[in-house]
């Protein structure tokens, strides 16, 4: 029987007060998806978002991936995945028994909605407490930093975790526009934050928790998710 992965995308499209748009980051979904699709048997993929419907794709990530064959093909052939996402409320109503893992791609959008979305937090708690894989890449771990378990402890407390670093945020000039800095928040909730050089590949696996630092880590995150659910 094929495994099943729930991918949760942001519904947020405004980049603070910059007048620019944001959303989820193309390569951070395309590369894990390519890994999944290339496995045998390939897992079933369900895509959800807080609001449901079309999940906003960060247009700058399309430009960044213009020479990335995997992302270009994904953009042109898989748009149905993000143009009609399932609302998180419906996923919670239907239950998570049929899923093996939940995965949060990044982009700056999750910093604004998934970080504080109560339904997303409930979903993550349910996955974790059911012994399922919880995974995220780049800004995706924003969806995990405020999740508390049934015992009142932060999910990430005492865990080894990575995510978009403060120095990488500074390099893209958005530190002052974020509602919080992801690396700082990961440390604040008691996690052991790990990173490599800016823009280098870094994946951290702590039991059923899989996190990646940045876009360069997306493929390896997909591979780690597959390994964790086999």
């Amino acid at each position: 029987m094929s495994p099943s992965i729930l991918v949760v995308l942001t519904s947020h499209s405004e980049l603070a007060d910059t007048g620019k748009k944001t959303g989820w980051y193309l390569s951070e979904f395309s590369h894990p998806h390519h890994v999944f699709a290339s496995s045998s048997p390939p897992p079933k993929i369900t895509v959800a978002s807080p609001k449901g419907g079309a999940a906003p794709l960060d247009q700058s990530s399309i430009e960044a991936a213009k020479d990335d064959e995997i992302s270009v093909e994904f953009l042109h052939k898989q748009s149905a995945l993000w143009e009609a996402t399932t609302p998180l409320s419906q996923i919670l109503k239907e239950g998570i028994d049929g899923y093996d893992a939940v995965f949060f791609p990044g982009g700056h959008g999750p910093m604004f909605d998934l970080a504080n979305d109560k339904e997303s937090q409930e979903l993550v708690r349910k996955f974790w407490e059911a012994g399922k894989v919880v995974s995220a890449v780049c800004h995706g771990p924003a969806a995990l930093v405020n999740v508390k378990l049934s015992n009142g402890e932060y999910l990430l407390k005492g865990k080894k975790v990575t995510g978009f670093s403060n120095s990488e945020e500074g390099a893209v000039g958005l530190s002052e526009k974020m509602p919080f800095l992801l690396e700082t928040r990961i440390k604040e909730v008691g996690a052991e934050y790990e990173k490599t050089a800016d823009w280098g590949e870094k994946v951290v696996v702590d039991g059923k928790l899989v996190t990646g630092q940045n876009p360069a880590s997306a493929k390896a995150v997909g591979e780690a998710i597959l390994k964790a659910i086999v």
Side-chain angles (χ1 to χ4, degrees):
M1 189 173 177
S2 298
S4 183
I5 299 171
L6 177 65
V7 179
V8 180
L9 300 177
T10 180
S11 292
H12 188 87
S13 63
E14 303 298 321
L15 188 55
D17 60 358
T18 64
K20 297 178 181 179
K21 296 292 185 179
T22 188
W24 58 273
Y25 205 81
L26 178 59
S27 64
E28 294 170 18
F29 189 4
S30 65
H31 281 267
H33 184 273
H34 186 259
V35 171
F36 301 153
S38 301
S39 66
S40 183
K44 177 186 176 184
I45 305 297
T46 301
V47 186
S49 66
K51 295 180 179 179
L57 171 55
D58 186 328
Q59 296 300 299
S60 70
S61 71
I62 298 176
E63 174 63 22
K66 64 183 180 181
D67 297 320
D68 172 3
E69 291 183 8
I70 289 174
S71 290
V72 171
E73 182 177 12
F74 181 78
L75 178 66
H76 291 121
K77 293 186 177 181
Q78 301 292 342
S79 60
L81 289 172
W82 64 87
E83 289 180 349
T85 66
T86 303
L88 288 180
S89 58
Q90 183 176 330
I91 299 292
L92 284 169
K93 185 177 181 179
E94 294 172 352
I96 66 166
D97 289 349
Y99 300 103
D100 299 287
V102 62
F103 170 54
F104 294 88
H108 282 96
M111 298 285 287
F112 295 90
D113 64 349
L114 291 171
N116 296 300
D117 187 273
K118 298 304 181 185
E119 290 175 328
S120 178
Q121 291 174 3
E122 181 182 355
L123 187 76
V124 172
R125 178 183 63 77
K126 287 180 178 292
F127 266 80
W128 186 258
E129 293 182 344
K132 299 175 185 288
V133 174
V134 171
S135 56
V137 66
C138 200
H139 288 92
L144 311 181
V145 292
N146 294 319
V147 174
K148 287 187 176 181
L149 303 176
S150 295
N151 63 6
E153 297 276 9
Y154 282 107
L155 164 65
L156 297 186
K157 183 179 179 181
K159 306 290 193 310
K160 294 179 179 179
V161 183
T162 191
F164 204 60
S165 67
N166 289 356
S167 55
E168 288 168 320
E169 200 71 80
V172 298
L174 290 171
S175 299
E176 301 303 319
K177 299 300 181 180
M178 292 298 101
F180 60 94
L181 291 175
L182 184 55
E183 176 185 335
T184 298
R185 183 59 182 159
I186 288 172
K187 294 174 180 176
E188 286 175 349
V189 300
E192 183 180 331
Y193 179 79
E194 298 184 5
K195 67 178 178 180
T196 190
D198 288 0
W199 318 116
E201 180 184 298
K202 176 70 174 180
V203 175
V204 177
V205 179
D206 191 339
K208 295 286 189 178
L209 181 65
V210 178
T211 50
Q213 182 175 326
N214 48 34
S217 310
K219 176 185 175 183
V221 165
E223 293 169 343
I225 293 169
L226 273 185
K227 186 176 180 180
I229 62 178
V230 169

